[in-house]
């Protein structure tokens, strides 16, 4: 049943997934983006932000991903739209739209001017460090927890000047606090992070981090990965709603909360990317196969959000309006 038929009060609401990691290094053979976009559209989604770099990707990797993904999006009939007006215009035309982000700042390592270049190419935001340390900052699985380096602080300033958003998901605890407390004119965000108080995982964020994010005016996207929620399959929407309610309670409102589903299409995958990295960040990642929020569960998520006490206005915000207001880059 279409979302607007199950919940008529959602008719016309934007439904935005703030993080979709469709990257060649993670995909199984035969993965078809058009098919997966069709599933999201049928479920009621209108926009998604796609990953162009993660881990240790270089600028060449990011450019190759940009070219490859741009071609796949065009084949799938997806319009690239980087700002609120363009995203809403695509929705009005009943066309699924996409924007871009980095899950690692490593493509900027050799040339800081690439911030401006990739921003011009449509990269909305960048995570400083993906799980482990790079030259800019420490990730959430880096034991030393050293925070941002001098190069990282310079990068943050450059990103802010350019208009690119600083993303703190996957970053180490000290990295997040140092950036959140820097008084940036454009708040950093957590594109896809859940509550560590509800499920202990280094990729989740503590109540103290949530409070600091709220004080900084940051946006937080709720993740749909089962092992960040302590849930699988049918239980994932309910746990996502529980994490959203906890974040809203700690932050003081639901006005800057949305979705960062982190949906990975891994049907038939050998999970080689995981086995290659497990020695570097082995904690909290179960043996495959893994369970993710599926687009067809969107209606169940809405029902769970209502059951968790969110108003209809809150739910519309969580599904996409908050993302369009608070998570996009300034252009």
């Amino acid at each position: 049943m279409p979302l607007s038929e199950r919940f008529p009060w959602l008719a016309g609401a934007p439904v935005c997934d703030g993080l979709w990691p469709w990257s060649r290094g993670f995909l199984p053979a035969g993965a078809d983006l058009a098919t997966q976009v069709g599933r999201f559209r049928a479920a009621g989604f209108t926009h998604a932000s796609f990953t162009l770099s993660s881990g240790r990707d270089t600028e060449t990797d990011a450019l190759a991903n940009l070219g490859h993904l741009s071609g796949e999006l065009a084949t799938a009939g997806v319009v690239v739209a980087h700002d609120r007006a363009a995203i809403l215009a695509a929705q009005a035309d009943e066309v699924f739209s996409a924007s871009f982000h980095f899950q690692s700042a490593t493509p900027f390592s050799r040339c800081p001017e690439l911030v401006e270049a990739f921003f011009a190419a449509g990269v909305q935001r960048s995570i400083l460090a993906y799980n482990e340390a790079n030259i800019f900052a420490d990730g959430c699985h880096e034991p030393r927890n050293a925070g941002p380096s001098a190069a990282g602080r310079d990068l943050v300033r450059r990103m802010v000047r350019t208009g690119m958003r600083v993303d703190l998901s996957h970053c180490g605890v000290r990295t997040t606090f140092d950036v959140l407390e820097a008084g940036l004119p454009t708040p950093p965000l957590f594109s896809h992070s859940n509550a560590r108080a509800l499920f202990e995982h280094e990729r989740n964020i503590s109540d103290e981090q949530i409070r600091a994010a709220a004080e900084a005016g940051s946006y937080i996207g709720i993740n749909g990965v089962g092992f960040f929620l302590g849930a699988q399959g049918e239980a994932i929407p309910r746990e996502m709603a529980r994490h959203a309610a906890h974040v809203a309670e700690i932050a003081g409102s639901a006005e800057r909360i949305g979705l960062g589903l982190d949906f990975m299409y891994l049907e038939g995958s050998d999970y080689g990317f995981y086995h290659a990295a497990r020695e570097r960040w082995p904690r909290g990642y179960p043996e495959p196969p893994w369970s993710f929020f599926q687009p067809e569960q969107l209606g169940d998520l809405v029902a769970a959000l209502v059951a968790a006490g969110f108003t209809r206005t809150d739910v519309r915000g969580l599904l996409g309006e908050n993302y369009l207001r608070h998570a996009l880059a300034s252009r």
Side-chain angles (χ1 to χ4, degrees), residues 72-161:
E72 286 203 293
L73 291 171
T75 299
V78 176
V79 172
V80 175
H82 299 304
D83 58 45
R84 177 185 174 90
I87 292 169
L88 291 176
Q91 180 184 350
D93 291 338
E94 299 184 347
V95 177
F96 194 89
S97 64
S99 55
F100 304 134
H101 63 263
F102 283 178
Q103 286 203 62
S104 174
T106 50
F108 306 135
S109 298
R110 295 196 295 180
C111 181
E113 288 81 5
L114 287 173
V115 171
E116 287 85 351
F118 277 111
F119 183 70
V123 176
Q124 291 275 310
R125 62 181 188 267
S126 177
I127 290 172
L128 296 182
Y130 184 87
N131 291 343
E132 57 189 355
N134 59 33
I135 70 165
F136 298 120
D138 276 9
C140 62
H141 298 316
E142 191 66 45
R144 66 183 180 178
N145 191 31
S149 64
R153 296 175 189 277
D154 287 343
L155 176 65
V156 168
R157 287 191 286 268
R158 188 173 203 115
M159 290 172 66
V160 170
R161 287 198 306 270

Side-chain angles (χ1 to χ4, degrees), residues 160-175:
V160 170
R161 287 198 306 270
T162 302
M164 187 181 292
R165 299 292 294 273
V166 178
D167 191 345
L168 297 175
S169 286
H170 285 281
C171 291
V173 173
R174 184 174 173 187
T175 296

Side-chain angles (χ1 to χ4, degrees), residues 12 54 65 100 125-126 145 232 241 246 261 267-269 294 298:
S54 59
N65 288 336
F100 304 134
R125 62 181 188 267
S126 177
N145 191 31
Q232 294 185 6
H246 182 85
L261 297 178
E267 185 174 337
S269 172
Q294 301 297 311
L298 181 59

Side-chain angles (χ1 to χ4, degrees), residues 214-229:
E215 291 174 3
S218 299
Y219 169 93
I220 299 174
I222 302 300
N223 196 303
V225 177
F227 54 74
F228 297 151
L229 295 161

Side-chain angles (χ1 to χ4, degrees), residues 194-213:
N194 293 339
R196 196 164 182 173
L198 297 188
F199 188 74
E200 175 57 35
H201 197 290
E202 290 176 347
R203 261 287 283 115
N204 293 340
I205 56 177
S206 68
D207 288 356
E208 290 76 18
Q209 288 171 290
I210 295 169
R211 289 189 189 96

Side-chain angles (χ1 to χ4, degrees), residues 234-287:
E234 294 179 357
I236 285 179
R238 182 185 68 245
E239 288 304 300
M240 287 181 65
R242 195 165 75 97
H243 279 254
H246 182 85
V247 172
E249 179 181 4
I250 300 301
S253 79
E255 293 180 3
R256 293 177 184 267
I257 302 173
L259 302 180
L261 297 178
D262 208 2
F263 166 76
M264 296 180 71
Y265 177 74
L266 295 174
E267 185 174 337
S269 172
D270 63 3
Y271 289 79
F273 63 90
Y274 162 69
H275 295 293
R278 64 189 304 172
E279 296 303 320
R280 298 204 305 272
W281 31 279
R283 295 173 297 278
Y285 296 85
E287 284 296 317

